[in-house]
Amino acid sequence: MKIINSIKELKQSLKTEREKGKETGFVPTMGALHAGHLSLMKRSVEENDISVASIFVNPTQFNDKNDLATYPRTLEKDCELLEAVGCDYVFVPEESEMYPEPDTRVFRLGRVAEVMEGAHHPGHFNGLHRSSVNCLRW
């Protein structure tokens, strides 16, 4: 399993895999992996030639800086778990890699942003959507 920190390196690695005709699966996470994450990665491994996980604690998903500061960061353990289930690449970017400049985009996500997690963490889904859109740059 290869750990990659830059978008440029990940793009190049995946381009090489695609040129070989390989299909890629992607499991985005913020780390602190649990059985649910691992089941998604196992499914990706079963259904794809190459499986990629991201571990990025996305600051734009936290409206409380204390929650961001105390979010568990267990990279070494997470990588061991991912490798054990067959993950090929782990993308672990720094914040500056994902947000090279301030991101002030606001997405209108409707009711989903107002119930469950959204009701307790205003802005959570907007940050999640920002991160997802950034991944499309790959």
Side-chain angles (χ1 to χ4, degrees):
M1 184 178 76
K2 184 172 184 179
I3 298 172
I4 296 176
N5 303 106
S6 76
I7 293 169
K8 182 179 179 180
E9 183 181 357
L10 182 61
K11 280 177 137 176
Q12 183 57 51
S13 295
L14 295 180
K15 180 180 182 232
T16 300
E17 298 290 3
R18 287 183 191 119
E19 287 171 350
K20 296 175 186 174
K22 295 185 177 182
E23 296 287 327
T24 303
F26 177 60
V27 179
T29 81
M30 290 203 310
L33 302 183
H34 52 69
H37 295 112
L38 298 176
S39 70
L40 292 171
M41 181 51 65
K42 288 176 187 175
R43 184 158 181 186
S44 177
V45 169
E46 290 170 6
E47 296 180 2
N48 299 283
D49 302 306
I50 300 297
S51 290
V52 180
S54 66
I55 298 176
F56 176 59
V57 180
N58 183 2
T60 69
Q61 287 181 238
F62 293 85
N63 65 333
D64 182 334
K65 292 189 186 301
N66 291 324
D67 287 345
L68 174 61
T70 60
Y71 191 86
R73 289 161 172 85
T74 56
L75 182 61
E76 187 175 323
K77 179 183 176 195
D78 292 342
C79 287
E80 289 172 4
L81 292 168
L82 289 167
E83 188 168 33
V85 296
C87 182
D88 299 292
Y89 297 97
V90 182
F91 179 52
V92 187
E94 294 291 326
E95 181 179 345
S96 61
E97 183 73 13
M98 294 300 286
Y99 298 108
E101 50 192 60
D103 188 346
T104 58
R105 292 175 295 175
V106 175
F107 299 96
R108 308 262 181 251
L109 303 172
R111 182 127 170 86
V112 70
E114 301 167 2
V115 297
M116 297 188 295
E117 191 73 20
H120 301 287
H121 302 284
H124 172 81
F125 287 106
N126 193 71
L128 178 65
H129 194 70
R130 280 185 197 147
S131 183
S132 298
V133 169
N134 283 352
C135 288
L136 294 175
R137 296 184 304 167
W138 311 347

